[in-house]
Structures are given as C-alpha cells and as structure tokens.
Amino acid sequence: MTGNWNIILVISLGAAVASVLVLNLKSRFYDESDSNPPTLRHVAAYFLAYVLGFLAVETFDRPWSLLAVAAVAAIAFAVTLNGRKPLMTRDYARTAALTFAVFFALWGLHQALLLIGIDLLAKDFVARS
C-alpha cells in the first residue's frame, strides 16, 4: 500500500464510517444512544486515527509504529468514551492519557516477551505453538 493515498483514504473513511455505525448500533441496542458523540466528530476522529495509523506504519519502524498507532487510537477512543462533552476538557485529556498508558503497558509487555524469545506479532507464531 506504500504511496497509494487514494486507497488509504478510502479504506480509512470506510473503516471510520463502519466503526461509528457499529458503535451507534451497539449503543441503541443497549439503549444508551444519548451518550454518543456527534456523528461528524465521531467519524472525523476515527478517520484521522486510521489515516495517521497508516502513516505511522508506513513511516516508522515496527516498535515505534506501534506506539504512534497507540497514541492516535487513544485520542479516537477518548472521543468515543467521552461522548457529547466538549473536546478541549480535562476529561478528554485524562481519558486519552489513560488509554495511551494502557497501550504503552501492553507494548512494554510485548517487549518483555520479545526479550525472552516470544514474538506474538511474528507471522509464524501460530505455526510454532
């Protein structure tokens, strides 16, 4: 996919719309639709997260690309978790920071497993186990 930004943008937009639709359906199923963020904000957050995620994977080497993807995903998840609250609040910052901290801890666990010789992201991991 290197360099083909038309495909990356189309995939990102499709994935963002699909993600928001699924989250909206889930919240309607559980009768919590009043806590959803505005649809345009929700789609924009996920679209930017997907585009920046593709950019991070294409730009950085593997361990650093995981951290960059975690950072942009944490911001998109903060939009989902905080719903209709204004964007520039401490709640958003706190949620994004805590989500990134969880991703960072999982990345640290992954790195610790690599030190003992277990690579969960290896293509042949399932074949070896």
Side-chain angles (χ1 to χ4, degrees):
M1 243 194 246
T2 305
N4 196 345
W5 281 101
N6 290 332
I7 292 175
I8 289 173
L9 293 174
V10 168
I11 289 172
S12 297
L13 183 60
V17 169
S19 299
V20 170
L21 283 175
V22 167
L23 289 169
N24 284 340
L25 287 174
K26 183 192 93 142
S27 66
R28 285 187 185 180
F29 181 72
Y30 288 113
D31 201 27
E32 300 171 346
S33 50
D34 57 333
S35 64
N36 284 344
T39 303
L40 183 60
R41 179 193 303 175
H42 213 179
V43 170
Y46 276 83
F47 175 71
L48 285 174
Y50 287 128
V51 169
L52 292 175
F54 275 119
L55 182 65
V57 168
E58 298 234 350
T59 305
F60 301 125
D61 292 330
R62 183 167 139 189
W64 302 111
S65 67
L66 293 175
L67 283 178
V69 169
V72 296
I75 295 168
F77 291 159
V79 170
T80 300
L81 294 174
N82 285 297
R84 297 193 176 275
K85 295 178 185 173
L87 281 177
M88 295 302 193
T89 61
R90 288 184 185 206
D91 288 336
Y92 270 102
R94 186 179 306 119
T95 304
L98 287 173
T99 306
F100 181 71
V102 169
F103 285 140
F104 189 75
L106 290 173
W107 178 73
L109 177 65
H110 175 256
Q111 293 300 315
L113 288 172
L114 282 177
L115 285 175
I116 61 173
I118 299 171
D119 187 3
L120 296 175
L121 299 177
K123 292 180 181 176
D124 62 342
F125 178 73
V126 176
R128 289 186 287 155
S129 37

